[in-house]
Amino acid sequence: MKSLEEKLNLLKRELKDRNVRIMIIGLGSVGNYLLDYLLSTQDEKMEICVVGRNIEKMLPDVNIIKIASLIRGQNRSPVSIIESVDLNNVSEIIQAIDSYKPDIIVNSSRAYSGLKYGSISWKNVRAYGIWAPLSMKYTKNIMEAYEQAKSEAIVITTSYPDAVISWLESAGRAYPDFGSGNINHLIPRIKLAAAESMGIRDYWNIDVTMAVSHFHDVVISKEGRTEGVEMLVDIRYGGQKAAVDVDEVIAKCNIPMPVDAKRNMMNASSNFEIIQAILSTVRKGEKTKLHCPGVFGEIGGYPVIMDGTGKQIKAYICEEYFELGRMREKNKESIYLDGIEDVKNGVLIYTDELVDKVKSAFGVVLRKKVSLDELDDMCDFLIHEIIEQQI
C-alpha cells in the first residue's frame, strides 16, 4: 500500500489530463448528504459513483439530489450507480473498484443501519468504543478488496476511525488514509464558543488546533466538560493566541443538536472537507490543515497538514503547536474513557471498566480482546446480545 504522500503526488499527476473520480460506498444519510454537497461545488471535472446493494433505494435518492441541485443551478458532475454490491462479499467490492477505478473512496457504510449506536451506549456505559467491531466489519472488507484490486485511491472512512484505522494498521493490513468526523465536529463548536467569549462576529477567522479522541468530541458536545482531562487546544485570532478561558469555551460547546439522522450532516461535511482539501492540494498547490481521526494509523484525532506548495506534496501531522508524543498520550488518555485500552498487533483491547459496565448494564460478558479473526463473531454478539435486546 502506498503512503498518503505517494497517493497525493500520483493524483496530482493524473488529474492534469482527466477528471477526478469519487466513489461513495453506502448511500445512507451520510452518503446522501455528501453526494448533495459534492454536486453543490459545480465541479465539471468531478465524476461520482455510488455503490450499494439496493438499486430500488439508491436510484430515487440519487435522482432527487441530481434534480434538486440542478434546480439550484449546481449540478455539473455526472453521477453513476454500481448496484447489487454486498459489502459482506469482498469479491463484489473488488469488481466495483475494478470497474470504476476511483481516485477517492469514501466508506459511509454501516454494519447495522438505522440506529445511532450512542443512543444505547452513552446512557448505559458512557462509551462508544464498544461498537468498534461493528465499525470495522465493512471497513475491513473494503480495504481487503482495495488491496486485491491494487487500487491506489485515497480512502476516507466514517465509522469510528479513531480505533478502526489503527486496528488495521497494527495488523499490517491496508488501512484508510483519513477518518472523518469526531474531532472534526468539535472544532467548529470551539470556534463559535471562542468568538462568543471574545465578543467578535467573524468566528471563521478563528484558528483552532487540537488533538483528542472521539470520547471528548461527545462529552464536550453533549455536556460541555472534559471529565477532568486537560485538553490540548490552541485558539488563535489574527495570528495571535486568543485571550480566552479554555474551560469557559469548552462549557459553551454544549449546544442543542438533533439526535436523529440529521446529525449526519456533520459527518458528510467532514468527508466533504477532506475531499475539497485533497483537491485543493493536488489541483491548486495549496496548503491545508484538517483535523482527522485515525490518520497515518494513529489512535485518536490529530491536526493534519497537506502541503502542495512545493514540487512534491507533503502530508504530515502538524507539530507546530503540540509535540507528537504529547498528542499520542492525550489521545490514549481520551480513548481510554471511550472504552478502548489499546490497539496493537491486530487486536482491539477493551478497558476493564467497560467490561464491568457492560456486564452491569446489559447482563452480558464482553470479551476483553478482539482480534480481526474474531471480528464476525464479535459483531454477531454485539447485535444479538446487546442491540437487539435494547431496541
Side-chain angles (χ1 to χ4, degrees):
M1 173 178 163
K2 283 184 166 60
S3 70
L4 175 57
E5 283 188 353
E6 290 173 320
K7 293 178 186 179
L8 287 166
N9 282 291
L10 175 63
L11 188 57
K12 178 181 179 180
R13 294 191 295 271
E14 287 283 315
L15 295 190
K16 289 179 180 178
D17 302 315
R18 62 171 178 82
N19 296 347
V20 63
R21 296 187 292 263
I22 298 173
M23 173 179 280
I24 302 172
I25 300 180
L27 201 64
S29 57
V30 172
N32 270 279
Y33 284 129
L34 177 59
L35 178 58
D36 192 23
Y37 300 160
L38 290 173
L39 290 184
S40 74
T41 64
Q42 306 180 53
D43 191 339
E44 297 180 29
K45 294 186 176 181
M46 177 187 293
E47 300 171 13
I48 306 167
C49 173
V50 297
V51 176
R53 181 187 298 181
N54 188 346
I55 187 66
E56 293 180 357
K57 177 184 179 300
M58 289 193 297
L59 185 58
D61 287 351
V62 169
N63 284 341
I64 195 170
I65 292 170
K66 288 167 66 176
I67 296 300
S69 64
L70 192 52
I71 291 170
R72 301 190 301 268
Q74 297 174 330
N75 186 351
R76 308 284 179 86
S77 306
V79 181
S80 58
I81 299 174
I82 299 179
E83 60 179 292
S84 303
V85 178
D86 182 354
L87 298 183
N88 290 300
N89 190 324
V90 173
S91 63
E92 291 183 10
I93 308 171
I94 293 172
Q95 186 174 355
I97 294 173
D98 268 339
S99 65
Y100 192 69
K101 295 182 171 49
D103 301 302
I104 300 172
I105 297 173
V106 180
N107 169 30
S108 67
S109 63
R110 289 174 64 84
Y112 194 95
S113 60
L115 173 74
K116 295 295 290 184
Y117 302 147
S119 65
I120 294 175
S121 63
W122 189 255
K123 63 185 177 182
N124 289 297
V125 297
R126 287 180 65 79
Y128 280 64
I130 181 177
W131 311 117
L134 292 178
S135 298
M136 173 62 86
K137 185 175 175 66
Y138 289 156
T139 306
K140 172 177 169 287
N141 290 349
I142 290 167
M143 294 313 300
E144 285 183 8
Y146 172 95
E147 197 164 30
Q148 291 185 46
K150 296 181 171 55
S151 177
E152 295 178 334
I154 296 168
V155 184
I156 307 166
T157 192
T158 64
S159 189
Y160 207 70
D162 300 73
V164 164
I165 295 178
S166 59
W167 195 351
L168 284 169
E169 190 274 341
S170 73
R173 307 283 187 92
Y175 57 91
D177 301 282
F178 291 100
S180 70
N182 301 354
I183 186 175
N184 173 274
H185 299 169
L186 189 54
I187 302 301
R189 291 175 185 261
I190 292 174
K191 289 184 178 184
L192 289 170
E196 181 182 343
S197 293
M198 296 164 65
I200 62 173
R201 295 181 60 187
D202 56 332
Y203 48 83
W204 51 89
N205 287 321
I206 293 175
D207 181 61
V208 175
T209 307
M210 191 174 190
V212 76
S213 87
H214 176 268
F215 176 83
H216 279 95
D217 163 44
V218 177
V219 76
I220 291 172
S221 300
K222 283 181 176 289
E223 302 174 11
R225 58 199 185 94
T226 67
E227 299 286 73
V229 177
E230 182 182 357
M231 293 290 96
L232 289 183
V233 56
D234 184 277
I235 304 172
R236 304 205 172 213
Y237 179 66
Q240 301 297 315
K241 199 169 181 67
V244 294
D245 184 305
V246 171
D247 290 335
E248 177 184 307
V249 169
I250 293 296
K252 289 180 178 179
C253 288
N254 175 20
I255 58 177
M257 296 282 278
V259 296
D260 60 11
K262 289 192 290 292
R263 287 183 59 85
N264 286 328
M265 288 182 184
M266 293 189 297
N267 209 325
S269 296
S270 176
N271 282 287
F272 178 81
E273 181 193 37
I274 295 167
I275 292 169
Q276 290 301 105
I278 291 169
L279 295 181
S280 294
T281 301
V282 301
R283 286 173 167 175
K284 302 176 182 178
E286 294 181 351
K287 181 178 180 179
T288 58
K289 181 175 72 175
L290 300 167
H291 284 82
C292 295
V295 71
F296 303 111
E298 296 281 351
I299 295 174
Y302 298 81
V304 181
I305 301 293
M306 287 189 290
D307 186 353
T309 58
K311 289 185 178 180
Q312 293 291 308
I313 296 171
K314 301 295 182 183
Y316 53 91
I317 292 175
C318 175
E319 293 189 77
E320 183 177 347
Y321 307 97
F322 310 110
E323 188 268 329
L324 181 58
R326 283 191 71 204
M327 290 190 281
R328 284 172 170 161
E329 289 173 4
K330 190 59 60 178
N331 271 292
K332 293 199 76 172
E333 186 179 357
S334 176
I335 207 168
Y336 189 95
L337 296 175
D338 223 18
I340 304 295
E341 180 178 310
D342 205 354
V343 180
K344 56 185 179 182
N345 301 321
V347 177
L348 178 87
I349 305 171
Y350 289 122
T351 64
D352 292 337
E353 291 88 339
L354 180 63
V355 173
D356 291 341
K357 288 177 181 178
V358 167
K359 184 175 181 179
S360 176
F362 304 122
V364 296
V365 177
L366 188 70
R367 69 178 71 174
K368 184 173 174 64
K369 298 182 180 181
V370 185
S371 70
L372 289 177
D373 292 337
E374 300 168 314
L375 184 63
D376 288 342
D377 287 344
M378 191 61 187
C379 288
D380 288 342
F381 173 85
L382 292 172
I383 291 171
H384 300 311
E385 300 300 324
I386 299 181
I387 291 177
E388 291 179 348
Q389 302 304 315
Q390 300 296 314
I391 61 174

